[in-house]
Amino acid sequence: MPHRGAVLVFLLALAAAPLAAVAWRPWPPRVASGALAGLGASKKFEGSSDFVKLEYHMGPVLAADITVHPIWYGAWPADQKRTIRAFLRSLSPQASGEKEGAVPSPSVADWWRTVRLYTDQTTANVSAVVALGQEKCDARMSRGASLSRMDIQSVVKDAVTARTRPLPVDAGGVYLVLTSPEVRVENFCGQVCGFHYFTFPSVVGYTLPYAWVGNSAGRCPEVCAYPFAIPAYVPGRRPEAPPNGDAGVDGMVSVIAHELAEMASNPLANAWYAGGDPSFPTEIADLCEGIYGTGGGGAYTGQLLTDGRSGASYNLNGVGGRRFLVQWVWDPYRSYCSGPNALDQH
């Protein structure tokens, strides 16, 4: 919870504010006319340290072992679940029983090491352990097929208070609401592809870090699954082949990574972010939107790796031979966007 004597003021301000920190805006950027913004129009590219004023606001980071509890809302085929589970297990392979060194570099675990650089006022780092926890399915969409942001908190409440097999409420638990393509979520595709925040005790009964990410397939893959689908305002650009053969889910993986990184470094909206308003923070993954490799920025992803058999583009290896394309995050020591596939790391 927020610190010191400002708790009441903070919570009253939240009541009038949007119910989630806006994270992962659609990409690539456009100017007011709708045209594609050039590299010079955005400072969110490698080497932008003179522009970024990332600050620590004295709140906690997720320093205890993290357990991610997925909540599958809507119809989710088994193969799509397997892809997302594989990514979550890849964040900390040894927590999933993998032998050390079993996943080659650059790996998802290597990527998480940048997130781990963030500390709180006790000097505790973000946890190295991220485990896949218990899961809950709501294929019947008990809250309907059109959800507001507050409805996402209600979905979490349903999962932790269910009569049968409720999700545990534990110290390191975070709750990941994943909506299938038929589910409409407030501002999805237009303003956000995912967001994170914390639940209100008045709604859920607990203060719990949570995130929502939607599957944009069939709705707006060119917005939320870029670069596996390309918007019309990007001329001459061909979509990248998704490493797991599913543009919607492969696009979700990067958004999930984005939200987990920001939940870990800013779980209660009072830790690591740039800007003066905690309701509209620029967080450690926002700073690197659209950057997946060296030289990235604007509509250019940066230099990627290519699967020799499938031709798919990726930048990280995961458990079970999986490969993923995940955006970079801000390195607080180097003061620029960083990823383990960077050319200066080889």
Side-chain angles (χ1 to χ4, degrees):
M1 293 297 293
H3 60 290
R4 300 180 180 175
V7 173
L8 180 59
V9 174
F10 181 81
L11 292 176
L12 288 173
L14 286 175
L19 296 176
V22 177
W24 215 96
R25 268 73 69 171
W27 196 264
R30 286 177 288 183
V31 296
S33 66
L36 176 67
L39 287 175
S42 174
K43 293 295 184 181
K44 296 179 184 175
F45 57 87
E46 194 176 14
S48 58
S49 58
D50 59 336
F51 177 79
V52 174
K53 303 299 181 184
L54 185 70
E55 296 180 334
Y56 176 57
H57 299 266
M58 303 304 290
V61 299
L62 296 183
D65 291 356
I66 299 167
T67 303
V68 182
H69 299 291
I71 301 171
W72 308 95
Y73 192 88
W76 280 94
D79 60 333
Q80 293 184 337
K81 288 183 178 181
R82 282 193 292 268
T83 297
I84 292 173
R85 287 180 188 132
F87 173 74
L88 295 174
R89 290 191 180 106
S90 298
L91 290 162
S92 184
Q94 289 177 277
S96 301
E98 294 281 336
K99 294 181 179 179
E100 186 175 0
V103 179
S105 295
S107 69
V108 176
D110 294 337
W111 176 88
W112 186 254
R113 288 192 181 98
T114 302
V115 182
R116 288 171 51 197
L117 296 174
Y118 289 86
T119 62
D120 63 17
Q121 59 184 316
T122 72
T123 71
N125 291 78
V126 168
S127 176
V129 177
V130 184
L132 176 63
Q134 296 182 38
E135 305 177 26
K136 199 70 180 172
C137 297
D138 190 349
R140 296 183 178 181
M141 298 180 289
S142 58
R143 294 283 173 173
S146 182
L147 303 176
S148 67
R149 293 193 175 199
M150 184 59 82
D151 288 335
I152 301 297
Q153 293 205 28
S154 297
V155 171
V156 176
K157 175 187 177 181
D158 293 344
V160 300
T161 61
R163 291 185 178 181
T164 59
R165 298 181 180 178
L167 291 183
V169 176
D170 44 46
V174 299
Y175 301 82
L176 183 60
V177 179
L178 304 169
T179 53
S180 56
E182 68 270 25
V183 180
R184 294 181 178 272
V185 176
E186 181 182 358
N187 296 326
F188 186 27
C189 294
Q191 297 181 24
V192 294
C193 302
F195 61 73
H196 77 94
Y197 210 49
F198 56 89
T199 62
F200 299 159
S202 60
V203 177
V204 179
Y206 309 93
T207 300
L208 304 172
Y210 76 97
W212 158 77
V213 178
N215 188 334
S216 64
R219 189 178 298 277
C220 61
E222 73 285 356
V223 175
C224 292
Y226 184 88
F228 305 123
I230 305 298
Y233 60 83
V234 181
R237 180 79 161 84
R238 297 183 63 183
E240 305 290 345
N244 295 284
D246 187 320
V249 172
D250 276 299
M252 285 185 76
V253 164
S254 189
V255 187
I256 289 169
H258 179 125
E259 300 306 336
L260 289 177
E262 294 182 343
M263 263 202 298
S265 58
N266 194 32
L268 299 181
N270 61 356
W272 288 95
Y273 62 89
D277 187 347
S279 297
F280 297 94
T282 299
E283 300 174 277
I284 70 168
D286 295 327
L287 293 166
C288 304
E289 287 169 352
I291 300 175
Y292 302 83
T294 299
Y300 177 50
T301 58
Q303 296 190 41
L304 307 179
L305 302 172
T306 302
D307 187 306
R309 291 177 298 178
S310 68
S313 297
Y314 71 100
N315 62 357
L316 301 177
N317 293 293
V319 298
R322 294 274 189 169
R323 288 171 168 173
F324 304 100
L325 184 60
V326 173
Q327 70 148 93
W328 286 4
V329 292
W330 189 260
D331 185 313
Y333 292 98
R334 299 180 178 184
S335 293
Y336 58 76
C337 297
S338 183
N341 61 308
L343 293 183
D344 63 4
Q345 299 207 16
H346 298 281

